[in-house]
Each structure stands twice: as C-alpha cells, then as structure tokens.
Amino acid sequence: MDQPGYDYHIDIPGTTLFDGKMAMKGYALNKMCYSFNQQINREAFLADEEGYMARFGLNDEQKEAIRKRDVLGLIDAGGNIYYLAKFAGIFKLSVQDVGGLQTGKTTEEFQQYLASQA
Amino acid sequence: MARILGGITTSHIPAVGNAINKGLQDDPYWKPFFDGYPKVHKWVQDNKPDYVINIYNDHGLGFFLDRMPTFAIGAAHEYRNEDEGWGLPALPPFPGAPELSWHIIESMVADEFDITSCQELAVDHGFVVPMQLFWPGAPNNPDMPRAVPISANTVQHPIPTLNRALNFGKALRKALLSFPEDAKIVVLGTGGLSHQLDGQRAGFINKEFDRYCLDNIVHNPEELTKITRQELVKNAGAQGTEFLMWMMMRGALGDDVTEITRNYHIPISNTAAGTLLIECAA
Ligand SMILES: [Fe+2]
C-alpha cells in the first residue's frame, strides 16, 4: 500500500509505529490475541494452538512467531503490544519479562536498566 | 450549573492495581509511588466531587481494531471491568451518569467534535486503577462519584494531535459548565508518563522530557501543543503517547488554576510514574 508521507512514517530506532499498514498486516494475529481477554479462549488456545491459530487465519509468519514465543517476530508480523500483552499473559509473563525478551536482557537486567534511568 | 473542582492525573499501570490488592503501599519499591497520593486523598475527601470524568485510553479491552474510535464517551448506567487476559479480579460495577454523558455528547458534537457514544463499555486498567488510587476500595467507597468514561485512541496511529487533545478538553469544559445541575465535577487524565513496552527500544524512559511536560502543563499547556506526534513517540516512548489524556484533562480546567501537589518516580513497572493535582479557582 503506497501512502503519502504523513507524519507517522518516521524512523525511530527500535520502534515500530503501529499505523494503518501494520494494523492491516497484523489484523488476524491481533484479533486472536484480543480474544485472550476471555479465559475460555485462553484455554481453547492452550488445548489446540494450531487449530486456534488456523481458526483466526494467521499467516505463516505469524504462526511461526507464536510457536516460538518470539515477541520481536510478532511485532514484525503486525502484532500490537497491547494485544500481544494478552498473549504474554497466558504464560504469566510480566512487561519486564517481555522487555527482557525483546532487548536480549534477563528480566533482572531489564529491571536494572529501568531503574538506571531514575 | 455544575462546577469543575479540578483535575488529577496519574499513571495507570496494571501492576499498581496488583500492589493495592496486596497492600504493598509501604514496600520499599512502591512507597515512593504511593507517597504521592495522601494529599490527593485529602483533597478528594475535602471536596467530595459528585461526578468524575475519567479520561483514559483503552488498551484492547473495550475496543478492537475492527472499529477504533478516536474519541469515545461512555453513556451507560454502569461500567464493568474484566480480567484483561491476566486474571484481574472482577469488581462490582462503577456507577455511571448517563444524563451527564448525553449532555456532554450533545454539547461536544454541537461544538463539532465527532464523538462515538457507547451504551456498553468494558473499562480496563486505564480507567480502574486511577479510581482505586483516588477512592480506596473503589467502587466500594462511600464517596465514589458517578463516572463518565472518555477514551482516546492511542493504540493505532494516527492518534490525535496534542493541540486537538487540549481543544477537546476546552470543549469538554464548556459542556460541563453548562450541565444544569448544582454539581461538583473532577476530571481525571490517566496514563503516561514516558514508557515504551515494545521493540528493541523497550524500557525507554525520558526524565528530561517528562519534566518539561510537567513544568508546562499547569500554566503553559499551549507550549506543549508544539510537540508533534512523532516527537511525542520519540521523546515519551511508544506508549508515552498517553500524555494526550493529560492534555485533554488540562483543557477542561480553564486558565485560573493552582497546582496542589505532584509526584514523579522512576520506575514503576516499565514506566516513569507521574501524578499531578490541579485545582480550579472557585
Ligand atoms: Fe496505559
């Protein structure tokens, strides 16, 4: 999709702006993660991950990133962090755990990094 | 006619709700954060607002990408939370104020703000945590005001500009002041300050930029409208765009205001936590 240069098309290192392009790309993935707001859906996912992903129509890139619990891969595949947080919630991961996974740090190292900015 | 008592901003981090449930207020990690609230409690108790306008941003509970309102206003008799995917406890419903909601919607649409009205709206931590911070035990607090939730989109770009957010607040002020009831209203702006949850830049916090925002929002909010949306993402972090809620709240307070208290602490969870209480002249 070619679009004129609105101000959201900017380069901030390490940051994927979740705009219309990404929202279209990640729609199925985000819709699945949105469903995890309900306990019954979290259980259905855990009972049959492949079937659950197929039901929501995830593409191969999205499925692979879900299988690998690859947070950066999920973001590349169009995932929005607010919905992905509900996926992470299934595994009781905190936002510091998720921060560590994305930055190559342990959770403790990530927490130290946060505190170092005080 | 109704009166606006003032505005209160606070971060609305989910972990705060957890800490409240576990009674961790005096824990060394949490104390510097919760120390920001006794003055707010006193002010709330002294002033006892009848209504609370809770300006927050939904994080993927009340709205999905199928329909994403830029500005949504609840118009329900009550508002319920949900577990948000994390097993958060279900609370009793927060009492709504549909007559005030519809008054605001009428007034703001007449003022050319295009509003999405919501007769059902599940409220997430962005709405709930500030209520629990300001009215301990919420919604089971005898002083719990009736609520009107207002949610602005910060999930998906394009998000509103800072100027639009401030102007939204000004139009909201006009609506509130014309509500034909002798009522006291407090306006909340929840979210922020700087934080980023996603990407290789996760964990980004920007004390200097937060200070600049805190120093200007009370008496010089127009200055902050010069910040472009891309500068906001760059300087406040991808989720620091929640500062828009602070701008919306600020617009509703008018020019004659006094700062009562503020608190700023790094980090709570992934966030630079900020609290500010601004009182309107009587
Ligand atoms: Fe938030």
Side-chain angles (χ1 to χ4, degrees), chain A residues 7-8 10 12-20 23 27 30-31 34 36-39 42 72 75 80-83 85-86 89-90 95-96 98-99 102-103 110 113-115 117-118, chain B residues 57 59-66 68 82-87 154-158 196-207 228-230 233-234 238-239 242 266-267 269-270:
Chain A
D7 72 3
Y8 50 83
I10 51 157
I12 301 171
T15 306
T16 303
L17 229 57
F18 189 80
D19 59 10
Y27 192 79
N30 289 316
K31 191 171 177 180
Y34 178 68
F36 297 147
N37 273 309
Q38 274 82 47
Q39 170 74 19
R42 303 197 288 271
L72 290 176
I75 289 169
N80 175 291
I81 194 66
Y82 288 136
Y83 306 111
K86 297 168 193 300
I90 295 180
V95 282
Q96 284 94 61
V98 173
Q102 295 176 98
T103 54
F110 187 76
Y113 170 57
L114 290 165
Q117 297 175 84
Chain B
N57 56 292
H59 308 71
L61 177 72
F63 304 107
F64 180 59
L65 302 173
D66 56 343
M68 182 55 70
E82 290 185 21
D83 90 0
E84 299 191 44
W86 311 316
T154 55
V155 170
Q156 168 185 282
H157 290 264
Q196 177 155 341
L197 303 176
D198 53 335
Q200 292 92 339
R201 202 171 74 129
F204 173 82
I205 285 173
N206 189 343
K207 184 161 68 173
T228 67
R229 289 168 290 175
Q230 68 264 41
V233 174
K234 189 165 160 242
Q239 283 71 42
E242 293 177 340
I266 297 171
S269 189
N270 287 23

Coordinates of all heavy atoms in Angstrom, one line a residue, chain A residues 7-8 10 12-20 23 27 30-31 34 36-39 42 72 75 80-83 85-86 89-90 95-96 98-99 102-103 110 113-115 117-118, chain B residues 57 59-66 68 82-87 154-158 196-207 228-230 233-234 238-239 242 266-267 269-270:
Chain A
D7 N 2.9 12.2 8.9 CA 4.0 12.3 9.9 C 4.2 11.0 10.7 O 5.1 10.9 11.4 CB 3.7 13.5 10.8 CG 2.6 13.2 11.8 OD1 2.0 12.1 11.8 OD2 2.3 14.2 12.5
Y8 N 3.4 10.0 10.5 CA 3.7 8.8 11.2 C 4.7 7.9 10.5 O 5.1 6.9 11.1 CB 2.4 8.0 11.5 CG 1.4 7.7 10.4 CD1 1.7 6.7 9.5 CD2 0.3 8.6 10.1 CE1 0.8 6.4 8.5 CE2 -0.5 8.3 9.1 CZ -0.3 7.2 8.3 OH -1.1 7.0 7.2
I10 N 8.0 7.7 10.2 CA 9.2 8.2 10.6 C 10.1 7.1 11.1 O 9.5 6.0 11.5 CB 9.1 9.3 11.7 CG1 8.2 8.7 12.8 CG2 8.5 10.6 11.1 CD1 8.3 9.4 14.1
I12 N 12.2 5.8 14.1 CA 12.7 5.8 15.4 C 13.3 4.5 15.7 O 12.6 3.5 15.8 CB 11.6 6.2 16.4 CG1 10.9 7.5 16.1 CG2 12.1 6.2 17.8 CD1 9.6 7.8 16.9
P13 N 14.6 4.4 15.9 CA 15.3 3.1 16.0 C 14.7 2.3 17.1 O 14.3 2.8 18.2 CB 16.7 3.5 16.4 CG 16.9 4.9 15.8 CD 15.6 5.5 15.9
G14 N 14.5 1.0 16.8 CA 13.9 0.1 17.8 C 12.4 0.2 18.1 O 11.9 -0.3 19.0
T15 N 11.8 1.0 17.2 CA 10.3 1.3 17.4 C 9.6 1.1 16.1 O 9.9 1.6 15.1 CB 10.2 2.8 17.8 OG1 11.0 3.0 19.0 CG2 8.7 3.1 18.2
T16 N 8.5 0.2 16.2 CA 7.7 0.1 15.0 C 6.4 0.8 15.3 O 5.6 0.5 16.2 CB 7.3 -1.4 14.8 OG1 8.5 -2.2 14.7 CG2 6.5 -1.6 13.6
L17 N 6.1 1.8 14.5 CA 4.9 2.6 14.7 C 3.7 1.8 14.2 O 3.7 1.4 13.1 CB 5.0 3.9 13.9 CG 4.6 5.1 14.8 CD1 5.5 5.3 16.0 CD2 4.7 6.4 14.0
F18 N 2.8 1.6 15.1 CA 1.6 0.8 14.7 C 0.6 1.7 14.0 O -0.3 2.3 14.6 CB 1.0 0.1 16.0 CG -0.1 -0.9 15.6 CD1 0.3 -2.2 15.2 CD2 -1.4 -0.6 15.7 CE1 -0.7 -3.1 14.9 CE2 -2.4 -1.5 15.4 CZ -2.0 -2.8 15.0
D19 N 0.7 1.7 12.7 CA -0.2 2.6 11.9 C -1.1 1.7 11.0 O -1.2 0.5 11.3 CB 0.7 3.5 11.0 CG 1.6 2.7 10.1 OD1 1.5 1.5 9.9 OD2 2.5 3.4 9.5
G20 N -1.7 2.3 10.1 CA -2.7 1.6 9.3 C -2.1 0.4 8.6 O -2.7 -0.7 8.5
A23 N -1.6 -2.3 11.1 CA -2.9 -2.7 11.6 C -3.5 -3.7 10.6 O -4.2 -4.6 11.0 CB -3.8 -1.5 11.9
Y27 N -3.8 -7.9 11.4 CA -5.2 -7.9 11.9 C -5.6 -9.3 12.5 O -6.1 -9.4 13.6 CB -6.2 -7.6 10.7 CG -7.6 -7.4 11.2 CD1 -8.0 -6.2 11.8 CD2 -8.6 -8.4 11.1 CE1 -9.2 -5.9 12.3 CE2 -9.8 -8.2 11.6 CZ -10.2 -7.0 12.2 OH -11.5 -6.7 12.7
N30 N -3.7 -9.9 15.8 CA -4.2 -9.1 16.9 C -5.6 -9.5 17.3 O -6.0 -9.5 18.5 CB -4.2 -7.6 16.5 CG -2.8 -7.1 16.4 OD1 -2.0 -7.4 17.3 ND2 -2.5 -6.4 15.4
K31 N -6.4 -10.0 16.3 CA -7.8 -10.4 16.7 C -7.7 -11.7 17.5 O -8.5 -11.8 18.5 CB -8.5 -10.7 15.4 CG -10.0 -10.9 15.6 CD -10.8 -11.0 14.3 CE -12.3 -11.3 14.5 NZ -13.0 -11.4 13.3
Y34 N -6.7 -10.5 21.0 CA -7.8 -9.8 21.6 C -8.7 -10.8 22.2 O -9.3 -10.6 23.3 CB -8.5 -8.9 20.6 CG -9.7 -8.2 21.0 CD1 -9.6 -7.1 22.0 CD2 -11.0 -8.5 20.6 CE1 -10.7 -6.4 22.4 CE2 -12.1 -7.8 21.0 CZ -11.9 -6.8 21.9 OH -13.0 -6.1 22.4
F36 N -8.0 -13.4 23.7 CA -7.5 -13.9 25.0 C -7.9 -13.0 26.2 O -7.6 -13.3 27.3 CB -6.0 -13.9 25.0 CG -5.4 -14.9 23.9 CD1 -4.3 -14.7 23.3 CD2 -6.2 -16.1 23.6 CE1 -3.8 -15.5 22.3 CE2 -5.7 -16.9 22.6 CZ -4.5 -16.7 22.0
N37 N -8.7 -12.0 26.0 CA -9.4 -11.3 27.1 C -10.2 -12.3 27.9 O -10.5 -12.0 29.1 CB -10.2 -10.1 26.6 CG -9.4 -8.8 26.4 OD1 -8.7 -8.4 27.3 ND2 -9.5 -8.2 25.3
Q38 N -10.7 -13.3 27.2 CA -11.6 -14.3 27.9 C -10.9 -15.5 28.2 O -10.2 -16.1 27.4 CB -12.8 -14.6 27.0 CG -14.0 -13.7 27.1 CD -13.8 -12.4 26.2 OE1 -13.4 -12.5 25.1 NE2 -14.0 -11.3 26.8
Q39 N -11.0 -16.0 29.5 CA -10.4 -17.2 30.0 C -10.7 -18.4 29.1 O -9.8 -19.2 28.8 CB -10.9 -17.4 31.4 CG -10.5 -18.7 32.1 CD -9.0 -18.8 32.4 OE1 -8.4 -17.7 32.5 NE2 -8.5 -20.0 32.6
R42 N -8.5 -18.5 26.2 CA -7.1 -18.8 26.6 C -7.0 -20.3 26.7 O -6.0 -20.9 26.3 CB -6.7 -18.1 27.9 CG -6.8 -16.6 27.8 CD -6.1 -15.8 28.8 NE -6.6 -15.9 30.2 CZ -7.5 -15.1 30.7 NH1 -8.0 -14.1 30.0 NH2 -7.9 -15.2 31.9
L72 N 9.6 -10.0 19.2 CA 10.0 -9.1 18.1 C 9.5 -9.6 16.8 O 9.0 -8.8 15.9 CB 11.5 -9.0 18.0 CG 12.2 -8.2 19.2 CD1 13.7 -8.3 19.0 CD2 11.7 -6.8 19.3
I75 N 5.9 -8.6 16.5 CA 5.7 -7.2 16.2 C 6.0 -7.0 14.7 O 5.2 -6.3 14.0 CB 6.7 -6.3 17.1 CG1 6.1 -6.3 18.5 CG2 6.8 -4.9 16.5 CD1 7.0 -5.7 19.5
N80 N 0.4 -5.8 17.7 CA 0.4 -4.6 18.6 C 0.6 -5.0 20.0 O 0.0 -6.0 20.5 CB -1.0 -3.9 18.4 CG -1.1 -2.7 19.3 OD1 -1.2 -2.8 20.5 ND2 -1.1 -1.5 18.7
I81 N 1.5 -4.3 20.7 CA 1.9 -4.7 22.0 C 0.7 -4.9 23.0 O 0.8 -5.7 23.9 CB 3.0 -3.8 22.6 CG1 3.7 -4.4 23.8 CG2 2.4 -2.4 22.9 CD1 4.5 -5.6 23.5
Y82 N -0.3 -4.1 22.9 CA -1.4 -4.2 23.8 C -2.2 -5.5 23.7 O -2.6 -6.1 24.7 CB -2.4 -3.0 23.6 CG -1.9 -1.7 24.1 CD1 -2.1 -0.5 23.4 CD2 -1.2 -1.6 25.3 CE1 -1.6 0.7 23.8 CE2 -0.8 -0.3 25.8 CZ -0.9 0.8 25.0 OH -0.5 2.0 25.4
Y83 N -2.3 -6.0 22.4 CA -2.9 -7.3 22.3 C -1.9 -8.4 22.6 O -2.3 -9.4 23.2 CB -3.5 -7.4 20.8 CG -4.4 -6.3 20.4 CD1 -4.0 -5.4 19.5 CD2 -5.6 -6.1 21.1 CE1 -4.8 -4.3 19.2 CE2 -6.4 -5.1 20.8 CZ -6.0 -4.1 19.8 OH -6.8 -3.1 19.5
A85 N 0.3 -8.4 24.8 CA 0.4 -8.5 26.2 C -0.6 -9.5 26.8 O -0.4 -10.1 27.8 CB 0.1 -7.1 26.9
K86 N -1.7 -9.7 26.0 CA -2.7 -10.7 26.5 C -2.2 -12.1 26.1 O -2.5 -13.1 26.8 CB -4.1 -10.4 25.9 CG -4.6 -9.0 26.4 CD -5.7 -8.5 25.7 CE -6.0 -7.0 26.0 NZ -6.2 -6.7 27.4
G89 N 0.2 -12.8 28.7 CA -0.5 -13.1 30.0 C -0.8 -14.6 30.1 O -0.8 -15.1 31.3
I90 N -1.0 -15.3 29.0 CA -1.2 -16.7 29.1 C -0.1 -17.5 29.8 O -0.3 -18.4 30.6 CB -1.5 -17.3 27.7 CG1 -2.7 -16.7 27.1 CG2 -1.5 -18.9 27.8 CD1 -3.0 -17.2 25.7
V95 N 5.5 -7.4 32.0 CA 6.0 -6.5 30.9 C 7.6 -6.3 31.1 O 8.2 -6.0 30.1 CB 5.4 -5.1 30.9 CG1 4.0 -5.2 30.2 CG2 5.3 -4.5 32.2
Q96 N 8.1 -6.6 32.2 CA 9.6 -6.7 32.3 C 10.1 -7.9 31.7 O 11.2 -7.9 31.0 CB 10.1 -6.6 33.8 CG 10.0 -5.2 34.4 CD 8.7 -5.0 35.1 OE1 8.4 -5.7 36.1 NE2 7.8 -4.1 34.6
V98 N 8.8 -9.4 29.1 CA 8.6 -9.2 27.7 C 9.7 -8.1 27.3 O 10.3 -8.3 26.2 CB 7.2 -8.7 27.4 CG1 7.1 -8.2 26.0 CG2 6.2 -9.8 27.7
G99 N 10.0 -7.2 28.1 CA 11.0 -6.2 27.8 C 12.4 -6.9 27.6 O 13.1 -6.6 26.7
Q102 N 12.8 -8.8 24.4 CA 13.0 -8.0 23.2 C 14.3 -7.4 23.1 O 14.8 -6.9 22.1 CB 11.9 -6.9 23.2 CG 10.5 -7.5 23.0 CD 9.5 -6.3 23.0 OE1 9.0 -5.9 22.0 NE2 9.2 -5.9 24.2
T103 N 15.0 -7.2 24.3 CA 16.2 -6.5 24.3 C 17.5 -7.4 24.6 O 18.6 -6.8 24.9 CB 16.2 -5.3 25.4 OG1 15.8 -5.9 26.6 CG2 15.1 -4.3 25.0
F110 N 16.9 -6.2 32.8 CA 15.9 -5.2 32.2 C 15.4 -4.3 33.3 O 15.3 -3.1 33.2 CB 14.8 -5.9 31.5 CG 13.8 -5.0 30.8 CD1 14.2 -4.4 29.6 CD2 12.6 -4.7 31.3 CE1 13.4 -3.6 28.9 CE2 11.7 -3.8 30.7 CZ 12.1 -3.3 29.4
Y113 N 18.0 -1.8 34.1 CA 18.1 -0.8 33.1 C 17.0 0.3 33.3 O 17.2 1.5 33.3 CB 17.9 -1.4 31.7 CG 17.7 -0.4 30.6 CD1 18.6 0.6 30.3 CD2 16.5 -0.5 29.8 CE1 18.4 1.5 29.3 CE2 16.3 0.4 28.8 CZ 17.2 1.4 28.6 OH 17.0 2.4 27.6
L114 N 15.8 -0.2 33.7 CA 14.7 0.8 34.0 C 15.1 1.7 35.2 O 15.0 2.9 35.1 CB 13.4 0.0 34.4 CG 12.7 -0.7 33.2 CD1 11.7 -1.7 33.8 CD2 12.1 0.3 32.3
A115 N 15.6 1.0 36.2 CA 15.9 1.8 37.4 C 17.1 2.8 37.2 O 17.2 3.8 37.8 CB 16.3 0.9 38.6
Q117 N 17.5 4.7 34.9 CA 17.1 5.9 34.2 C 16.5 6.9 35.2 O 15.9 7.9 34.8 CB 16.1 5.6 33.1 CG 16.8 4.8 32.0 CD 15.8 4.3 30.9 OE1 15.5 5.1 30.0 NE2 15.2 3.1 31.1
A118 N 16.5 6.6 36.5 CA 15.8 7.4 37.5 C 16.6 8.7 37.6 O 17.8 8.8 37.4 CB 15.8 6.7 38.8
Chain B
N57 N -7.2 5.9 28.1 CA -7.1 5.2 26.8 C -7.2 3.7 27.0 O -6.6 3.1 27.8 CB -5.7 5.5 26.2 CG -4.5 5.1 27.0 OD1 -4.3 5.7 28.1 ND2 -3.8 4.1 26.6
H59 N -6.8 -0.1 26.3 CA -5.7 -0.9 25.8 C -6.1 -2.2 25.2 O -5.5 -3.3 25.5 CB -4.7 -1.2 27.0 CG -4.3 0.0 27.8 ND1 -5.2 0.6 28.6 CD2 -3.1 0.6 27.9 CE1 -4.5 1.6 29.2 NE2 -3.3 1.6 28.8
G60 N -7.2 -2.3 24.4 CA -7.5 -3.5 23.8 C -8.5 -4.4 24.7 O -8.4 -5.6 24.7
L61 N -9.4 -3.7 25.4 CA -10.4 -4.4 26.1 C -11.8 -3.9 25.5 O -12.6 -4.7 25.0 CB -10.4 -4.2 27.6 CG -11.6 -4.9 28.3 CD1 -11.4 -6.4 28.3 CD2 -11.7 -4.4 29.7
G62 N -12.0 -2.6 25.7 CA -13.3 -2.0 25.2 C -13.4 -1.9 23.7 O -14.5 -1.9 23.2
F63 N -12.3 -1.8 23.1 CA -12.3 -1.6 21.6 C -11.3 -2.5 20.9 O -10.2 -2.8 21.5 CB -12.0 -0.2 21.2 CG -12.9 0.8 21.9 CD1 -12.5 1.6 22.9 CD2 -14.2 1.0 21.4 CE1 -13.3 2.6 23.5 CE2 -15.1 1.9 22.0 CZ -14.6 2.7 23.1
F64 N -11.6 -3.0 19.7 CA -10.6 -3.7 18.9 C -10.4 -2.9 17.6 O -11.1 -1.9 17.4 CB -11.1 -5.1 18.7 CG -10.2 -5.9 17.8 CD1 -8.8 -6.1 18.2 CD2 -10.5 -6.4 16.6 CE1 -7.9 -6.8 17.5 CE2 -9.6 -7.1 15.8 CZ -8.3 -7.3 16.2
L65 N -9.5 -3.4 16.8 CA -9.2 -2.7 15.6 C -10.3 -2.7 14.5 O -10.2 -2.0 13.5 CB -7.9 -3.3 15.0 CG -6.7 -3.3 15.9 CD1 -5.5 -4.1 15.3 CD2 -6.2 -1.9 16.2
D66 N -11.3 -3.5 14.7 CA -12.4 -3.6 13.8 C -13.1 -2.2 13.7 O -13.5 -1.8 12.6 CB -13.4 -4.7 14.1 CG -14.0 -4.6 15.5 OD1 -13.4 -3.9 16.3 OD2 -15.0 -5.3 15.7
M68 N -12.3 1.5 15.6 CA -11.4 2.2 16.6 C -11.8 3.6 16.6 O -11.4 4.4 15.8 CB -9.9 2.0 16.1 CG -8.9 2.6 17.1 SD -9.1 2.0 18.8 CE -8.5 0.3 18.6
E82 N -13.0 -6.2 33.4 CA -12.8 -7.6 33.0 C -11.4 -8.1 33.4 O -10.6 -7.2 33.9 CB -13.1 -7.8 31.5 CG -14.6 -7.6 31.2 CD -14.8 -8.0 29.7 OE1 -14.1 -8.7 29.1 OE2 -15.9 -7.5 29.2
D83 N -11.1 -9.3 33.2 CA -9.8 -9.8 33.6 C -8.7 -9.4 32.7 O -7.5 -9.5 33.1 CB -9.8 -11.3 34.0 CG -9.5 -12.2 32.9 OD1 -9.2 -11.8 31.7 OD2 -9.5 -13.4 33.1
E84 N -9.0 -8.9 31.5 CA -8.0 -8.3 30.6 C -7.0 -9.3 30.1 O -5.9 -9.0 29.6 CB -7.2 -7.1 31.2 CG -8.2 -5.9 31.5 CD -7.4 -4.6 31.8 OE1 -6.5 -4.3 31.1 OE2 -7.8 -4.0 32.8
G85 N -7.3 -10.6 30.3 CA -6.3 -11.6 29.9 C -5.3 -12.0 30.9 O -4.5 -12.9 30.7
W86 N -5.4 -11.3 32.1 CA -4.3 -11.5 33.1 C -4.9 -12.0 34.4 O -4.3 -12.0 35.4 CB -3.6 -10.2 33.4 CG -3.1 -9.6 32.1 CD1 -2.5 -10.2 31.1 CD2 -3.1 -8.2 31.8 NE1 -2.2 -9.2 30.1 CE2 -2.6 -8.0 30.5 CE3 -3.6 -7.1 32.5 CZ2 -2.5 -6.8 29.9 CZ3 -3.5 -5.8 31.9 CH2 -3.0 -5.7 30.6
G87 N -6.2 -12.4 34.4 CA -6.9 -12.8 35.6 C -7.1 -11.8 36.7 O -7.2 -12.1 37.9
T154 N -5.0 5.7 21.5 CA -3.5 5.7 21.4 C -3.0 4.3 21.0 O -1.8 4.0 21.1 CB -2.8 6.1 22.7 OG1 -3.3 5.3 23.8 CG2 -3.1 7.6 23.1
V155 N -3.9 3.4 20.6 CA -3.5 2.1 20.2 C -2.9 2.1 18.8 O -1.9 1.5 18.5 CB -4.7 1.1 20.2 CG1 -4.4 -0.2 19.6 CG2 -5.2 0.9 21.6
Q156 N -3.6 2.9 17.9 CA -3.3 2.8 16.5 C -3.1 4.2 15.9 O -3.9 5.1 16.2 CB -4.4 2.1 15.8 CG -4.5 2.2 14.3 CD -5.8 1.5 13.8 OE1 -5.9 0.3 13.8 NE2 -6.8 2.3 13.5
H157 N -2.0 4.4 15.2 CA -1.8 5.7 14.6 C -2.6 5.8 13.3 O -2.8 4.7 12.7 CB -0.3 5.9 14.2 CG 0.6 6.1 15.4 ND1 0.9 7.3 15.9 CD2 1.1 5.2 16.3 CE1 1.7 7.2 17.0 NE2 1.8 5.9 17.2
P158 N -3.2 6.9 12.9 CA -2.9 8.2 13.5 C -3.7 8.4 14.8 O -4.9 8.2 14.9 CB -3.4 9.2 12.4 CG -4.5 8.4 11.7 CD -4.1 7.0 11.7
Q196 N 8.0 2.8 27.1 CA 7.8 2.0 25.9 C 7.9 0.5 26.2 O 8.8 0.1 26.8 CB 8.9 2.4 24.9 CG 8.8 1.6 23.6 CD 9.5 2.3 22.4 OE1 9.6 3.5 22.4 NE2 9.8 1.5 21.3
L197 N 6.9 -0.2 25.8 CA 6.8 -1.6 26.1 C 7.3 -2.5 24.9 O 7.7 -3.6 25.2 CB 5.3 -2.0 26.3 CG 4.5 -1.2 27.4 CD1 3.1 -1.7 27.4 CD2 5.2 -1.5 28.7
D198 N 7.3 -2.0 23.7 CA 7.6 -2.8 22.5 C 8.9 -2.4 21.8 O 9.3 -1.3 21.8 CB 6.4 -2.7 21.6 CG 6.0 -1.3 21.2 OD1 6.3 -0.4 22.0 OD2 5.4 -1.1 20.1
G199 N 9.4 -3.5 21.2 CA 10.6 -3.3 20.3 C 11.9 -3.3 21.0 O 12.0 -3.5 22.2
Q200 N 13.0 -3.1 20.2 CA 14.3 -3.1 20.8 C 14.5 -1.9 21.7 O 15.4 -1.9 22.5 CB 15.4 -3.1 19.7 CG 15.5 -4.4 18.9 CD 14.6 -4.3 17.6 OE1 13.6 -3.5 17.6 NE2 14.9 -5.1 16.6
R201 N 13.6 -0.9 21.6 CA 13.7 0.3 22.4 C 12.9 0.1 23.7 O 12.7 1.1 24.5 CB 13.4 1.5 21.7 CG 13.9 2.8 22.3 CD 13.7 4.0 21.4 NE 12.4 4.5 21.3 CZ 12.0 5.8 21.5 NH1 12.9 6.7 21.8 NH2 10.7 6.1 21.5
A202 N 12.3 -1.1 23.9 CA 11.5 -1.3 25.2 C 12.3 -0.9 26.4 O 13.6 -1.1 26.4 CB 11.1 -2.8 25.3
G203 N 11.7 -0.3 27.3 CA 12.3 0.2 28.6 C 12.8 1.6 28.5 O 13.3 2.1 29.5
F204 N 12.6 2.2 27.4 CA 12.9 3.7 27.2 C 12.1 4.5 28.2 O 10.9 4.4 28.3 CB 12.7 4.1 25.8 CG 12.8 5.6 25.5 CD1 14.1 6.1 25.3 CD2 11.7 6.4 25.5 CE1 14.3 7.4 25.1 CE2 11.9 7.8 25.3 CZ 13.2 8.3 25.0
I205 N 12.8 5.4 28.9 CA 12.2 6.4 29.8 C 13.0 7.7 29.6 O 14.2 7.7 29.3 CB 12.4 5.9 31.3 CG1 11.3 4.8 31.6 CG2 12.2 7.1 32.3 CD1 11.5 4.1 32.9
N206 N 12.3 8.8 29.7 CA 12.9 10.1 29.4 C 12.5 11.1 30.5 O 11.5 11.9 30.3 CB 12.5 10.6 28.0 CG 13.2 11.8 27.5 OD1 13.9 12.5 28.3 ND2 13.2 12.0 26.2
K207 N 13.4 11.2 31.5 CA 13.1 12.1 32.6 C 13.0 13.5 32.2 O 12.2 14.3 32.7 CB 14.2 11.8 33.7 CG 14.0 12.6 35.0 CD 14.8 12.1 36.1 CE 16.3 12.2 35.9 NZ 17.1 11.8 37.1
T228 N 5.0 17.6 18.1 CA 4.3 16.8 17.1 C 4.1 15.4 17.6 O 4.8 15.0 18.5 CB 5.1 16.8 15.7 OG1 6.3 16.0 16.0 CG2 5.5 18.2 15.2
R229 N 3.3 14.7 16.9 CA 3.0 13.3 17.3 C 4.3 12.5 17.2 O 4.6 11.6 18.1 CB 1.9 12.7 16.6 CG 0.6 13.3 17.0 CD -0.6 13.0 16.0 NE -0.4 13.6 14.7 CZ -1.1 13.4 13.7 NH1 -2.1 12.5 13.8 NH2 -0.9 14.0 12.5
Q230 N 5.1 12.7 16.2 CA 6.3 11.9 16.0 C 7.3 12.2 17.1 O 8.0 11.4 17.6 CB 6.9 11.9 14.6 CG 7.5 13.2 14.2 CD 6.5 14.0 13.4 OE1 5.3 14.1 13.7 NE2 7.0 14.7 12.3
V233 N 6.2 10.4 20.3 CA 6.6 9.0 20.3 C 8.1 8.9 20.6 O 8.6 8.1 21.4 CB 6.3 8.3 19.0 CG1 6.9 6.9 18.9 CG2 4.8 8.3 18.7
K234 N 8.9 9.7 19.9 CA 10.4 9.7 20.1 C 10.8 10.1 21.5 O 11.6 9.4 22.1 CB 11.0 10.7 19.1 CG 12.4 10.6 18.9 CD 12.9 11.4 17.7 CE 14.3 11.7 17.8 NZ 14.6 13.2 17.8
A238 N 6.9 4.9 22.8 CA 5.7 4.5 22.0 C 4.4 4.6 22.8 O 3.4 4.9 22.3 CB 5.9 3.1 21.5
Q239 N 4.4 4.2 24.1 CA 3.2 4.3 24.9 C 3.1 5.6 25.8 O 2.1 5.8 26.4 CB 3.1 3.0 25.9 CG 2.7 1.8 25.1 CD 3.7 1.2 24.2 OE1 4.9 1.2 24.6 NE2 3.4 0.8 23.0
E242 N 0.3 8.4 25.8 CA -0.8 8.5 26.7 C -0.9 9.9 27.3 O -1.8 10.3 28.0 CB -0.7 7.5 27.8 CG -1.0 6.1 27.3 CD -0.8 5.0 28.4 OE1 -0.2 5.3 29.4 OE2 -1.3 3.9 28.1
I266 N 10.7 7.1 39.0 CA 11.1 6.1 38.1 C 11.8 5.0 38.8 O 12.6 5.2 39.7 CB 12.2 6.7 37.1 CG1 11.6 7.9 36.3 CG2 12.8 5.7 36.2 CD1 12.7 8.6 35.5
P267 N 11.5 3.7 38.5 CA 10.4 3.3 37.6 C 9.3 2.6 38.4 O 9.6 2.1 39.5 CB 11.1 2.2 36.8 CG 12.1 1.5 37.8 CD 12.4 2.6 38.8
S269 N 7.0 -0.5 37.3 CA 6.9 -1.4 36.2 C 7.8 -0.8 35.1 O 9.0 -0.5 35.4 CB 5.4 -1.5 35.7 OG 5.3 -2.5 34.8
N270 N 7.4 -0.6 33.9 CA 8.2 -0.1 32.8 C 8.1 1.4 32.6 O 8.6 2.0 31.6 CB 7.9 -0.7 31.5 CG 8.3 -2.1 31.3 OD1 8.5 -2.8 32.4 ND2 8.4 -2.6 30.1

